[in-house]
């Protein structure tokens, strides 16, 4: 039993180090999710399916041409599209003036108004979790394959378990 736990300790150490790195990156970038995988071709040619994007949320204002990552509440995934129009206005008849952003995918013919919740015409600044600052091409295909081919996930977990059992 003690030997099994001793073998498990390096795995737990590695997992905790990865978690701490993720949290440190979240603090440095001021974003809850500083890394994402592109899952569609809506931003081609800027990004393609399988690219990993790195984001930061350090700027207070979004500018036309920026690529904000918008995450609406009650949606499972964020939307990564370019800001094509930026205005200042109030939210739903409120008094506070804030940024209103219209987005569009580079590879889409129409803007994203149809993708916004309700009858809204713009995204609010507080729905943006960051702006794209860089990308790594193709590296996200691992995540896409693990999500789209469920047997691959079980095979990977099983293979790692076998390796750790006989190592």
């Amino acid at each position: 039993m003690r030997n099994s736990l001793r073998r498990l300790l390096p795995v737990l150490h590695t997992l905790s180090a990865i978690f701490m790195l993720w949290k440190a990156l979240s603090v440095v970038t001021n974003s809850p999710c500083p890394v994402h995988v592109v899952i569609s071709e809506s931003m081609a040619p800027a990004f393609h399916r399988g690219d990993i994007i790195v984001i930061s949320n350090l700027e207070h204002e979004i500018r036309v041409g920026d690529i904000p990552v918008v995450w609406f509440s009650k949606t499972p995934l964020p939307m990564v599209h370019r800001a094509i129009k930026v205005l200042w206005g109030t939210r739903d008849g409120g008094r506070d003036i804030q940024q209103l952003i219209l987005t569009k995918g580079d590879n889409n013919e129409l803007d994203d108004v149809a993708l916004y919740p309700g009858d809204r015409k713009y995204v609010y600044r507080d729905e943006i979790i960051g702006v794209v600052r860089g990308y790594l091409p193709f590296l996200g295909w691992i995540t896409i394959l693990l999500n789209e081919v469920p047997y691959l996930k079980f095979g990977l977990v099983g293979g790692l378990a076998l390796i750790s059992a006989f190592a």
Side-chain angles (χ1 to χ4, degrees), residues 33 35-44 46-47 51-55 66-72 77-83 103-108 112 115 128-135:
C33 269
V35 177
H36 289 277
V37 175
V38 177
I39 60 169
S40 76
E41 289 289 333
S42 66
M43 278 301 292
F47 311 117
D51 291 351
I52 292 178
I53 56 172
V54 179
I55 69 170
D66 284 347
I67 304 173
V69 178
V70 181
W71 207 328
F72 299 113
L77 296 171
M79 177 176 65
V80 182
H81 286 169
R82 192 175 305 276
T103 59
K104 177 185 171 295
D106 289 357
N107 201 24
N108 296 346
D112 295 335
L115 302 175
I128 294 173
I129 62 168
V131 176
V132 176
R133 292 294 167 218
Y135 76 101

Side-chain angles (χ1 to χ4, degrees), residues 124-143:
Y124 303 125
R125 175 60 179 97
D126 61 356
E127 295 171 317
I128 294 173
I129 62 168
V131 176
V132 176
R133 292 294 167 218
Y135 76 101
L136 300 166
F138 310 116
L139 294 179
W141 273 106
I142 297 165
T143 302

